[in-house]
Amino acid sequence: MRHTYTILFFILSTLTLFNQNACAQKIGVVLSGGGAGGACHVGVLKALEENNIPIDYITGTSIGALIGGLYASGYSVEEIEKMVTSDRFINLTRGNLEKKYQYYFFKKEDDASWITLKVSLDSSLVTNIPTNVINSVPIDFEMVNFFSNSSAASVYNFDSLLIPFRCVASDIENKKSVVFKKGDLNQAIRASMTYPLYLKPINVDGKILFDGGLYNNFPVDVMTKDFNPDYIIGSVVTSANPKVDEENLYAQLRSMLINNPDFSLQNKAGIIIKSWSDVGTFNFNACKKLIDSGYVATIRQIDSIRKNISSTVTKEEIDKKRKKFKSKFTEETIIEEINIEGLNKKQQFYVKHLMGNPKKQFSLETIKKTYFRLSEDNKIRSIFPTLTLNPQTGKYKLNLKIKREKDLFLQFGGNISTRPISTGFVSIQYNYFSKIAMSIYGNGYFGRLNTSGLGKIRFDFPSRLPVYIEPLVCFSRWDYYRSSTLFYNFEKPAYLTQNDRYGELNVGIPVGNRAKAIIGGGVAQLANIYYQTNTFSTKDTADQTNFQFAYGNIEYEYNTLNRKLYASEGGYLNFKAKYINGLESLIPGTTTHEIKENNIPHEWTVFKLKLDGYLKPFKFFKVGILAEGVYSSQDLFLNYTSSVLSAPAFMPTPESKTLFLPNFRSYKYAAGGGKMIFNPIKKLDIRIEAYVFQPYQAINNNVTSAPSLGKAFADRYYVGMAALVYHTALGPLSLSVNYYHGELQPFTFLAHFGYTLFNRKSIE
């Protein structure tokens, strides 16, 4: 009898369990697009999970595809929340590459450019307009990192993810929505979130795809067609008809392209959760607030959801299921092969050797450094990565879709100033890309103060330790007399021009990611034309000092500064040793004490160290430190003016680079000071800078203009600047008051827009 009851109990239990499973509800979650507001989806998922609401299917668009894809791939809500609220994620949404991966070796020398146009020789100007605002390389790499393991674990079938998943993108050529249900998960989600003009579009199976929200911003239809759940929970973080602002280009573009979205459940059982998400489309700084908003909005609806859902799942059950899915992941993503699309064989050779030995195996983390190195190369326009698992070896093939950069770079810029130091700038660069890359570059500066031209060819040899060889020629003319009139006059020099010509050959190698070492040398001719008196007429002729010399130098430069002028973050370190051997020739004018030509040889070595660094003790306040030291074995030239002109100069402020300041030149000196930078609003700096210049021996001018060296440490001079600087998209707009100790007119006022940057002088 006991056995009979046992059998009956077993049968009833089995039937009850079977009935429960047969009647178990399937729950689908649909996540809308909505830019940064999509962070609310994280709060929605968090509230559902905490309240034991099962999630059997997920569909998403744009940011909803990203959040939903992460959850479907096995990331916990806590991991996703930590991810989207991190500084790293914010930097990704801005296209910022982490400083440790920025590659200074490929960066060209700072110049006065405002804008760069990149042009293909075989296309029209319209087709050369950029298609994206931010750099998509960092986010593309991180997404392959996020999703490579889960893609492989699901055998590239989205039904086999931890939670079956769908996302949508937009085929704007055929005006239709595209649904992703298999393939590379990172590629599908990246296509779904390609907001027009924000992220670079990608090509998938021959189609250029954009943000899924253009045609389907709430894919309930996809959820119904592919999964047909019993109950749908929809999370909406955007309005059906977003307000169009006459100042907001993105809102205008979206309104023109987007189909009127349907945020209904299309007669399916379910509920829609609308969270507060009234932030800018790209304001990812508010993610924590948005997550809380999604959580609260869901908690308000949780009783209604529970009334309609009988199924439950505990967090322990979810964690167990997640752990089982992740057990399929490889411990480390090892790359055994690199496949490159979009380049010819010679260009592929360059890419593979720049990334390292192509026969070696790499981990994804190891190759990260060389991958971003490649993205910084100005011959490369874009890279899109995917990973494919080889089930036999358990290792991956890295597929890189690479587009080469345009053939021609055109740059325009300069400086517009209240003093006659305004300068125009133009440059042109042609890129040749093969096994060895070559860049042919030329620039020109045009203004009263400076007229110059530079031409060079850079040959890049790829390897894990790349090398470049760069021959160049440069000529420049500096006219301190014409540029010292109008708003500003030091009264000295009465007349002074410099003509500088040089040719040199440099060889460079990287030192880590943010530094490089250069060894080089060349020949130069420096012609200084000047009067050594204020009393002269149009019939008088000026003195002329010609210095013809050969030189060799070695240089180390480290640079993480955030701007090429008026920097406020990062650091700069430069050490340079230079050997100079040449002949000075003096051709006296009619106002000098000299009566005949004179020649004298000179030979010296100079060592220079410069340090510029910034700290941020408070949110709106930064502190900078500048230190500079020079030691030179140089001897005096034949007269005071030529001696000063050949001496190293301390030029710590933008205006000081445009002036001839004899008091701040010496063969041996130590100099430095501090900067206080207040940042009350975005892009606006209030800068206060003060420096001291301590020459070991000042260069003195005697009655006969014969130079002499002063007593050790007998002289000391000060420089100061107070400036208001607004950083526009083209360049800085600055108003400053400057102070130069020891000058007849120590205080100056300067207003300028652009960059007081010029081609390097031969003797520097």
Side-chain angles (χ1 to χ4, degrees):
M1 191 70 175
R2 183 180 299 173
H3 293 295
T4 303
Y5 284 126
T6 302
I7 293 170
L8 286 173
F9 178 77
F10 175 77
I11 292 172
L12 287 172
S13 299
T14 303
L15 288 172
T16 302
L17 182 62
F18 175 79
N19 186 60
Q20 286 179 343
N21 288 334
C23 298
Q25 291 172 298
K26 294 296 183 181
I27 314 303
V29 171
V30 181
L31 306 177
S32 78
C40 293
H41 298 321
V42 183
V44 173
L45 296 173
K46 183 178 182 180
L48 293 176
E49 190 173 284
E50 283 184 2
N51 287 275
N52 302 332
I53 306 298
I55 300 174
D56 299 295
Y57 314 108
I58 297 177
T59 61
T61 292
S62 192
I63 187 69
L66 176 62
I67 302 301
L70 288 167
Y71 193 74
S73 296
Y75 288 88
S76 68
V77 171
E78 293 78 15
E79 288 172 326
I80 300 172
E81 181 173 6
K82 184 178 179 181
M83 184 187 299
V84 301
T85 55
S86 67
D87 290 339
R88 181 183 177 191
F89 184 78
I90 293 172
N91 281 327
L92 288 176
T93 64
R94 294 173 179 171
N96 296 337
L97 187 60
E98 289 182 73
K99 285 185 178 180
K100 64 181 179 179
Y101 294 118
Q102 293 171 1
Y103 200 54
Y104 184 60
F105 184 67
F106 286 135
K107 185 178 180 295
K108 68 184 185 68
E109 289 185 38
D110 289 338
D111 56 38
S113 61
W114 298 346
I115 59 172
T116 300
L117 300 178
K118 299 179 180 181
V119 181
S120 285
L121 298 178
D122 58 353
S123 61
S124 67
L125 182 61
V126 173
T127 61
N128 290 293
I129 297 174
T131 57
N132 58 298
V133 172
I134 73 163
N135 176 14
S136 58
V137 170
I139 196 167
D140 288 345
F141 185 87
E142 289 306 321
M143 285 185 66
V144 82
N145 197 12
F146 293 159
F147 297 112
S148 59
N149 261 317
S150 53
S151 283
S154 68
V155 198
Y156 305 97
N157 183 342
F158 297 176
D159 286 338
S160 300
L161 291 166
L162 175 68
I163 300 170
F165 172 74
R166 298 287 186 271
C167 65
V168 296
S170 298
D171 178 358
I172 61 172
E173 183 179 358
N174 296 302
K175 306 293 187 297
K176 66 178 184 179
S177 188
V178 176
V179 179
F180 287 97
K181 56 181 69 178
K182 62 181 179 178
D184 292 293
L185 188 57
N186 71 294
Q187 181 175 252
I189 294 173
R190 170 62 167 80
S192 182
M193 55 190 283
T194 303
Y195 200 98
L197 290 186
Y198 182 68
L199 279 173
K200 186 182 291 293
I202 63 173
N203 188 314
V204 182
D205 298 329
K207 298 174 183 177
I208 303 298
L209 301 181
F210 283 89
D211 193 299
L214 297 179
Y215 300 144
N216 191 350
N217 205 28
F218 189 57
V220 169
D221 57 333
V222 177
M223 174 65 73
T224 302
K225 181 180 178 181
D226 284 24
F227 301 123
N228 194 27
D230 300 295
Y231 192 83
I232 294 176
I233 300 171
S235 175
V236 175
V237 293
T238 186
S239 60
N241 296 294
K243 185 179 178 181
V244 178
D245 190 313
E246 65 272 14
E247 301 296 330
N248 190 329
L249 176 62
Y250 282 114
Q252 295 169 24
L253 180 67
R254 187 177 180 85
S255 183
M256 285 187 286
L257 293 176
I258 196 169
N259 288 345
N260 193 26
D262 179 6
F263 290 120
S264 73
L265 294 178
Q266 301 175 10
N267 298 319
K268 289 288 292 183
I271 193 169
I272 291 179
I273 299 168
K274 292 187 177 180
S275 310
W276 173 88
S277 57
D278 188 17
V279 298
T281 304
F282 310 114
N283 182 17
F284 288 91
N285 287 306
C287 280
K288 184 64 176 74
K289 190 175 181 180
L290 291 163
I291 291 170
D292 293 341
S293 170
Y295 181 84
V296 170
T298 308
I299 292 299
R300 287 177 184 152
Q301 303 275 15
I302 207 70
D303 288 340
S304 178
I305 294 171
R306 278 177 168 160
K307 286 179 183 178
N308 291 281
I309 295 177
S310 57
S311 303
T312 60
V313 61
T314 65
K315 193 173 188 310
E316 290 72 21
E317 290 172 322
I318 295 172
D319 290 340
K320 184 177 179 181
K321 183 180 176 183
R322 184 177 291 122
K323 185 177 180 181
K324 182 179 179 181
F325 179 72
K326 286 188 171 184
S327 68
K328 303 175 186 177
F329 291 5
T330 56
E331 289 186 11
E332 191 174 16
T333 306
I334 301 297
I335 298 164
E336 63 180 359
E337 181 185 354
I338 299 176
N339 178 58
I340 298 173
E341 300 176 32
L343 301 179
N344 62 39
K345 288 185 177 180
K346 291 181 179 180
Q347 293 164 348
Q348 290 182 29
F349 175 92
Y350 178 92
V351 168
K352 288 184 177 182
H353 281 76
L354 190 62
M355 295 183 71
N357 187 341
K359 296 180 181 179
K360 273 191 173 183
Q361 294 184 351
F362 306 91
S363 71
L364 188 61
E365 188 61 33
T366 301
I367 208 170
K368 190 174 184 178
K369 187 175 181 179
T370 53
Y371 178 91
F372 286 130
R373 171 195 297 180
L374 176 65
S375 73
E376 296 275 274
D377 194 318
N378 61 15
K379 272 76 71 180
I380 303 297
R381 185 180 184 187
S382 66
I383 313 173
F384 188 80
T386 56
L387 285 171
T388 306
L389 180 67
N390 182 341
Q392 279 74 41
T393 63
K395 297 180 175 63
Y396 289 84
K397 177 170 70 173
L398 176 63
N399 306 290
L400 300 177
K401 290 183 180 179
I402 298 179
K403 285 190 176 181
R404 60 167 297 182
E405 190 49 274
K406 303 292 180 69
D407 306 305
L408 212 60
F409 293 1
L410 301 175
Q411 290 187 312
F412 304 92
N415 182 49
I416 301 171
S417 172
T418 53
R419 279 187 47 223
I421 59 170
S422 297
T423 309
F425 171 83
V426 62
S427 76
I428 184 170
Q429 177 175 316
Y430 173 73
N431 296 316
Y432 175 78
F433 187 16
S434 189
K435 282 187 175 182
I436 297 173
M438 178 176 69
S439 298
I440 304 171
Y441 173 85
N443 74 27
Y445 288 85
F446 312 95
R448 282 191 179 186
L449 171 66
N450 176 255
T451 300
S452 70
L454 180 145
K456 62 183 179 181
I457 303 175
R458 172 166 164 159
F459 300 92
D460 281 287
F461 299 87
S463 68
R464 285 193 73 85
L465 185 67
V467 176
Y468 75 75
I469 297 177
E470 186 178 72
L472 67 86
V473 293
C474 181
F475 72 88
S476 62
R477 176 182 173 85
W478 294 81
D479 193 333
Y480 292 103
Y481 177 66
R482 293 178 64 204
S483 64
S484 296
T485 57
L486 194 60
F487 292 98
Y488 184 95
N489 185 8
F490 271 131
E491 295 189 10
K492 290 183 180 182
Y495 179 81
L496 171 59
T497 64
Q498 276 188 323
N499 293 303
D500 190 12
R501 298 178 177 87
Y502 64 91
E504 66 183 31
L505 178 68
N506 293 313
V507 178
I509 59 170
V511 182
N513 262 35
R514 300 301 292 152
K516 63 180 178 180
I518 303 169
I519 184 169
V523 293
Q525 181 181 44
L526 185 62
N528 299 317
I529 304 169
Y530 50 89
Y531 287 106
Q532 299 187 66
T533 176
N534 291 330
T535 307
F536 60 90
S537 69
T538 56
K539 296 181 181 180
D540 286 318
T541 58
D543 294 354
Q544 180 170 333
T545 295
N546 294 322
F547 183 48
Q548 296 181 339
F549 61 98
Y551 60 91
N553 56 260
I554 185 168
E555 182 176 8
Y556 169 85
E557 188 169 65
Y558 168 89
N559 193 342
T560 60
L561 295 179
N562 62 330
R563 302 186 186 106
K564 55 187 177 182
L565 195 68
Y566 298 113
S568 59
E569 295 178 10
Y572 176 84
L573 175 65
N574 180 280
F575 172 77
K576 190 171 187 177
K578 190 165 189 171
Y579 169 78
I580 294 175
N581 190 322
L583 181 68
E584 175 194 7
S585 300
L586 174 63
I587 304 174
T590 56
T591 62
T592 185
H593 295 281
E594 298 283 344
I595 58 174
K596 64 178 181 178
E597 294 186 16
N598 202 350
N599 299 309
I600 183 171
H602 295 279
E603 179 182 11
W604 73 86
T605 303
V606 59
F607 301 94
K608 183 176 181 179
L609 178 67
K610 181 177 179 179
L611 172 66
D612 189 12
Y614 298 86
L615 300 172
K616 187 178 180 180
F618 306 105
K619 185 175 181 180
F620 302 110
F621 177 64
K622 299 168 187 174
V623 176
I625 298 173
L626 176 68
E628 188 172 301
V630 169
Y631 176 87
S632 175
S633 60
Q634 183 176 353
D635 55 348
L636 293 166
F637 275 38
L638 288 168
N639 60 48
Y640 169 76
T641 303
S642 60
S643 296
V644 171
L645 281 168
S646 64
F650 179 56
M651 300 177 288
T653 62
E655 189 195 40
S656 64
K657 301 177 191 300
T658 70
L659 303 172
F660 175 63
L661 302 170
N663 290 334
F664 295 89
R665 290 172 175 257
S666 178
Y667 299 144
K668 302 178 184 69
Y669 69 79
K675 314 174 194 184
M676 292 188 297
I677 305 168
F678 301 90
N679 184 219
I681 62 174
K682 189 177 180 181
K683 296 184 179 180
L684 180 67
D685 289 345
I686 301 171
R687 303 177 69 99
I688 300 173
E689 304 181 15
Y691 307 98
V692 59
F693 176 75
Q694 177 62 70
Y696 173 63
Q697 292 175 298
I699 302 173
N700 295 328
N701 188 9
N702 299 321
V703 177
T704 61
S705 296
S708 63
L709 294 176
K711 293 182 179 180
F713 304 110
D715 302 276
R716 187 177 298 112
Y717 299 95
Y718 304 94
V719 182
M721 181 187 78
L724 191 66
V725 184
Y726 182 75
H727 299 279
T728 74
L730 297 180
L733 175 63
S734 172
L735 303 174
S736 67
V737 176
N738 302 273
Y739 172 74
Y740 303 97
H741 175 225
E743 299 298 331
L744 294 176
Q745 294 180 358
F747 287 98
T748 71
F749 171 78
L750 176 68
H752 79 96
F753 173 76
Y755 299 96
T756 54
L757 297 172
F758 309 94
N759 286 327
R760 175 173 48 86
K761 295 180 180 179
S762 62
I763 208 163
E764 289 182 350

